[in-house]
Amino acid sequence: MILTKVFANVDEINDLELYHIETCLVKSDDLTKRILRVTSDHGNDYGIRLEDDSEGLENGSAFKIGPKHLVVLSVLPDEVIKIVPEDIDDMGVLAHLLGNLHKPVQVENGQITLLFDPVVVKTLDQRQTKYTVEKAQLTEPLRYVDLTNGK
């Protein structure tokens, strides 16, 4: 079966207990793919090819495959580096540094998150930048900066 439209995110479904749910474990970088093949915890294979290019996948994306039957994506935890810059100057320097290393990042609530990379760790250690390495379930894929302005 080919799934082409996200029904909702499971966090937005009020009557979730009324649905039969199949879960598909995916890696965070799978969320950036336009075409994806997944296998559910029930052993069923599904293809995902979204019709709408503006639509994206995220942790908890649910596809309706029957009146009360959902296929839900669950992102596997990744090892990530989390950095909380000391001030706006530190944020600018870190953004420049990570940009030069061509690393996709997520910036949220003053914190920079990126996938674990030993080169980044070595660079941060050389700068004596405080960071943590932890397992985290990313809700959205990490992205590179889009310099095309949507064109």
Side-chain angles (χ1 to χ4, degrees), residues 60-129:
S61 288
F63 298 87
K64 198 169 189 178
I65 61 171
K68 291 292 182 180
H69 192 165
L70 298 175
V71 172
V72 177
L73 300 183
S74 180
V75 177
L76 294 165
D78 285 301
E79 190 170 28
V80 297
I81 300 169
K82 292 191 174 188
I83 309 165
V84 179
E86 294 178 18
D87 54 32
I88 191 67
D89 292 334
D90 193 34
M91 175 64 95
V93 170
L94 287 167
H96 180 78
L97 177 108
L98 296 171
N100 281 341
L101 293 174
H102 302 283
K103 299 297 172 192
V105 300
Q106 180 182 67
V107 178
E108 192 172 67
N109 300 323
Q111 177 176 276
I112 302 170
T113 303
L114 66 155
L115 293 176
F116 179 82
D117 182 317
V119 173
V120 172
V121 167
K122 184 176 179 178
T123 304
L124 294 173
D125 287 342
Q126 287 173 343
R127 276 195 84 244
Q128 298 180 343
T129 299

Side-chain angles (χ1 to χ4, degrees), residues 2 11 15 21-22 47 60 62 69 87 95-96 103 134 145 148:
I2 304 294
D11 296 335
D15 57 351
I21 298 174
E22 293 186 51
H69 192 165
D87 54 32
H96 180 78
K103 299 297 172 192
E134 56 192 72
V145 173
T148 63

Side-chain angles (χ1 to χ4, degrees), residues 44-59:
N44 296 319
D45 291 325
Y46 298 98
I48 298 173
R49 184 180 58 229
L50 299 178
E51 289 175 345
D52 185 352
D53 285 342
S54 67
E55 192 174 35
L57 299 174
E58 59 186 15
N59 186 47

Side-chain angles (χ1 to χ4, degrees), residues 23-50:
T23 302
C24 298
L25 298 176
V26 296
K27 296 183 289 183
S28 61
D29 60 345
D30 287 338
L31 299 176
T32 62
K33 296 178 180 174
R34 300 308 309 159
I35 299 174
L36 182 63
R37 182 182 170 139
V38 296
T39 301
S40 76
D41 57 347
H42 290 45
N44 296 319
D45 291 325
Y46 298 98
I48 298 173
R49 184 180 58 229
L50 299 178

Side-chain angles (χ1 to χ4, degrees), residues 125-141:
D125 287 342
Q126 287 173 343
R127 276 195 84 244
Q128 298 180 343
T129 299
K130 295 178 187 172
Y131 64 90
T132 60
V133 176
E134 56 192 72
K135 287 276 191 181
Q137 186 179 43
L138 300 174
T139 56
E140 301 177 348

